[in-house]
């Protein structure tokens, strides 16, 4: 079965909006686009290179797809796999695009992604896609989080864990802290939340 892996840059207060640049996603008046750039270093670059060179298909929300579509076809040398990977896009408005291969998922996104997970193929990597992530979380479809947690709070913006979050347990499968204080940590789903007393 294919896994859904959320690969996210996240602030200490859980924001994932517009990590890459000022104009990436200004929706809701977000004014801190590019907040990850002061923390770039060889450690993060090495992790990103490793993750970007794994076999993958992409599972993206419409807004993230529309941000990426003008950029990556012109910069494929930095990430060769992004242009050849199948891009599954959650959208009730887009039905086709010139950035191919791409397939648009409408209607019941949870059911569509559940079906995708049953198929043969590489794991499904989710970047950004804050609204889509809430749907995936609500339907318990995220198998792993590969997070880069930055030592900054942003106060507002689209959050990783928002309205779709359900109780769930995870285990750490890999972790590291960069010289700039970025926590690089991978979590895998590990069943239900258990309770008890100390």
């Amino acid at each position: 079965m294919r896994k859904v892996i959320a690969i996210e840059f996240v602030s200490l207060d859980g924001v994932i909006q517009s990590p890459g640049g000022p104009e990436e996603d200004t929706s809701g008046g977000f004014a801190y686009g590019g907040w990850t750039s002061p923390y770039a270093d060889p450690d993060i670059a090495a992790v990103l290179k490793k993750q970007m060179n794994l076999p993958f298909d992409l599972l993206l929300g419409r807004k993230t797809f529309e941000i990426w579509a003008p950029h990556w076809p012109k910069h494929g040398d930095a990430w060769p796999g992004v242009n050849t990977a199948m891009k599954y896009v959650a959208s009730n408005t887009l039905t086709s695009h010139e950035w191919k291969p791409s397939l648009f998922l409408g209607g019941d996104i949870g059911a569509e992604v559940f079906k995708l997970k049953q198929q043969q193929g590489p794991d499904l990597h989710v970047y950004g896609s804050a609204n889509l992530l809430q749907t995936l979380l609500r339907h318990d479809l995220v198998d792993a989080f590969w997070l880069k947690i930055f030592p900054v709070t942003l106060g507002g913006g689209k959050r990783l864990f928002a309205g779709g979050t359900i109780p769930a347990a995870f285990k750490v499968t890999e972790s590291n802290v960069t010289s700039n204080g970025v926590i690089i940590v991978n979590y895998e789903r590990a069943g239900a939340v258990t309770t008890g007393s100390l």
Side-chain angles (χ1 to χ4, degrees), residues 177-189:
V177 181
T178 73
S179 59
N180 286 334
V182 178
I183 300 169
I184 298 172
V185 60
N186 293 359
Y187 295 97
E188 282 190 9
R189 190 75 164 80

